[in-house]
Amino acid sequence: EMKSDPNLYKSLSDSIAPTICGHDEVKRGVLLMLFGGVHKSTVEGINLRGDVNVCIVGDPSTAKSQFLKYVSEFVPRSVYTSGKASSAAGLTAAVVRDEDSNEFYIEAGALMLADNGICCIDEFDKMDIKDQVAIHEAMEQQTISITKAGIQATLNARTSILAAANPINGRYDKSKPLRSNIAMTSPIMSRFDLFFVIVDDCNEVTDYNIAHHITNLHRMLDNAISTKYTTQDLQQYIRFARTIEPIISNESMHMIVREYQALRQNDSSGLHQTSTRITVRQLESMIRLSEALARLHCDEEVKPEYVSEACRLIRKSIINVEADDVSFNDIAPLRRNIEEEETGEGDSVEDREETQSGPTTVSSEKYRRVAYQLTHHIASLSQRDDDFSGITVSDLISWYMDEHQDEFETEDQAYGESMLVMNIIRRLVATDNVLLDVTDGTEEEVARVDEEDHKLMLHPNHVME
């Protein structure tokens, strides 16, 4: 019956933590973590992780701990612990001396106790760095190695980790990347398959829905919640689905490769300032999430639509950094009128604005994209020609307009874009020191050269992204 439901994915995710209002993406991530990927072993006997690790980062009072409590109650073999009150030995394993026999024995920690289950760690960011390092092995290799007091052992810790963390300054700063918002090392961050950032923004509709939901919950308790599937239905379905080991189809394999290449190129191009670096671990995360979606639909084969949804979730967790718009108000033209400066008859504010023309601001992403294309074009010209002595401003703008001529429907749009590129070039020369004005002649002669005839080269101190 559940398998034949056309909206199975949405119905199951809505049935996860029904007391929590909204947070649909987080519920989907938690649902896929419950299904998990397929555990595999290589010919050399190396185990490949199938469990999905999820981290929820958010402002205070955004139901992070509620998700952890729900999962710890939902999964039969799960452990709930707090990062602040947990030590490395408490999370992994400790060697303890027996009072009667005076011999040493191993005492299991939270990750060992949650073997084949889920370990929920609250206040993950409050853990000491040395305690975070202790779970590196458990998160990727899923084992715990101990060499203490004459005991040498490797113990299994085949568990998924659901962690919750608060931003460093209490509130999440959208203008900074994720790694600058939480106290976590890069190795730990790369071991999480999905990151979910919950920001407590003021929104009239959202605030009303949350207040209405919580008030109803306090007034009617269980009667306020109506889900398609009960907790028992979910548990039985997940228990059955985890016995399926889906195989990746040829078409899905090519799609995973293409998506990974696209993520890597976006990360290395410098056009998008992302929260974390894209590594092979994100590729493996894509495979695990695709397998979890196949299990969710009780499918023996990983289909392209499952890969598409897995990529969407990963892209959601790779948060693009929001930056302020770039202003051109204080940027002067490349050409200055020496005679007017000497007589003190400089341009008025109105004249300067007329000289600049074009838009006064542009989005940070647009600025980075245009600047990237201009600088890389100049770099390619200098690599092709050893005697390269610079490119004029007019030639640079003409090249950019030729590359994007299909994007403009009217002459006004094309003119506006050319003036925007001119302003970007001015800023790259005057403020960012990315381009260098190499026009021949003395300062007075250069000042009399028309702005479009000025020659530009890459600044020798500029490092290409």
Side-chain angles (χ1 to χ4, degrees), residues 19 61 118 148 151-152 175 184 341 353 374 390 394 405 423 438 463:
T19 57
S61 76
I118 294 177
K148 283 182 183 177
I151 296 176
Q152 187 170 1
S175 65
M184 276 192 214
E341 285 185 3
E353 287 179 357
L374 296 176
S394 59
Q405 59 182 349
N423 281 336
V438 291
V463 179

Side-chain angles (χ1 to χ4, degrees), residues 185-243:
T185 59
S186 295
I188 284 280
M189 288 180 68
S190 68
R191 282 168 166 79
F192 282 104
D193 298 277
L194 291 173
F195 270 96
F196 292 105
V197 175
I198 306 174
V199 182
D200 186 16
D201 286 330
C202 293
N203 182 295
E204 188 178 349
V205 176
T206 307
D207 293 343
Y208 172 80
N209 289 336
I210 290 173
H212 188 265
H213 179 83
I214 292 174
T215 310
N216 261 354
L217 197 63
H218 280 270
R219 190 166 64 95
M220 298 188 291
L221 297 177
D222 291 348
N223 296 327
I225 302 166
S226 60
T227 56
K228 190 166 185 179
Y229 303 118
T230 63
T231 303
Q232 288 73 25
D233 293 337
L234 269 175
Q235 287 174 332
Q236 287 180 354
Y237 187 78
I238 290 171
R239 200 175 295 122
F240 166 73
R242 283 179 70 93
T243 60

Side-chain angles (χ1 to χ4, degrees), residues 300-319:
E300 297 286 347
E301 189 180 72
V302 176
K303 295 178 180 175
E305 53 262 34
Y306 305 153
V307 177
S308 179
E309 172 63 13
C311 294
R312 189 190 68 82
L313 284 170
I314 287 177
R315 286 182 189 278
K316 287 281 286 185
S317 66
I318 302 168
I319 311 101

Side-chain angles (χ1 to χ4, degrees), residues 273-411:
Q273 218 179 335
T274 54
S275 56
T276 52
R277 286 302 307 272
I278 307 300
T279 63
V280 178
R281 283 190 175 136
Q282 273 68 44
L283 172 63
E284 291 183 334
S285 300
M286 212 181 291
I287 294 169
R288 280 191 287 269
L289 292 170
S290 303
E291 291 171 344
L293 279 158
R295 279 181 165 179
L296 185 147
H297 292 92
C298 291
D299 204 330
E300 297 286 347
E301 189 180 72
V302 176
K303 295 178 180 175
E305 53 262 34
Y306 305 153
V307 177
S308 179
E309 172 63 13
C311 294
R312 189 190 68 82
L313 284 170
I314 287 177
R315 286 182 189 278
K316 287 281 286 185
S317 66
I318 302 168
I319 311 101
N320 287 332
V321 179
E322 292 185 9
D324 296 333
D325 289 348
V326 177
S327 173
F328 302 118
N329 289 330
D330 300 327
I331 306 300
L334 301 179
R335 175 176 58 83
R336 293 180 296 112
N337 195 318
I338 298 294
E339 293 175 3
E340 288 183 353
E341 285 185 3
E342 290 175 352
T343 58
E345 298 175 1
D347 292 342
S348 64
V349 175
E350 291 81 4
D351 292 338
R352 194 180 300 122
E353 287 179 357
E354 194 175 315
T355 307
Q356 278 182 278
S357 63
T360 55
T361 59
V362 66
S363 68
S364 174
E365 186 178 344
K366 171 81 170 178
Y367 178 79
R368 287 168 64 85
R369 184 167 65 249
V370 175
Y372 174 82
Q373 291 176 339
L374 296 176
T375 53
H376 273 255
H377 177 61
I378 297 175
S380 64
L381 290 176
S382 61
Q383 286 173 1
R384 286 201 298 264
D385 185 4
D386 295 335
D387 299 326
F388 179 70
S389 60
I391 182 174
T392 62
V393 173
S394 59
D395 288 344
L396 187 58
I397 294 175
S398 298
W399 169 83
Y400 178 86
M401 298 302 291
D402 289 342
E403 290 288 312
H404 297 270
Q405 59 182 349
D406 297 335
E407 299 174 13
F408 313 123
E409 296 178 358
T410 63
E411 288 186 8

Side-chain angles (χ1 to χ4, degrees), residues 2-3 5-16 24-32 35 194 196 229 234 237 289 292-293 296-297 305-306 308-310 312-313:
M2 291 174 73
K3 186 182 173 182
D5 184 353
N7 297 317
L8 180 63
Y9 185 35
K10 187 178 186 308
S11 301
L12 289 175
S13 62
D14 289 343
S15 302
I16 292 285
D24 295 333
E25 294 295 337
V26 183
K27 290 181 179 181
R28 290 189 183 101
V30 170
L31 179 67
L32 295 183
F35 281 96
L194 291 173
F196 292 105
Y229 303 118
L234 269 175
Y237 187 78
L289 292 170
L293 279 158
L296 185 147
H297 292 92
E305 53 262 34
Y306 305 153
S308 179
E309 172 63 13
R312 189 190 68 82
L313 284 170

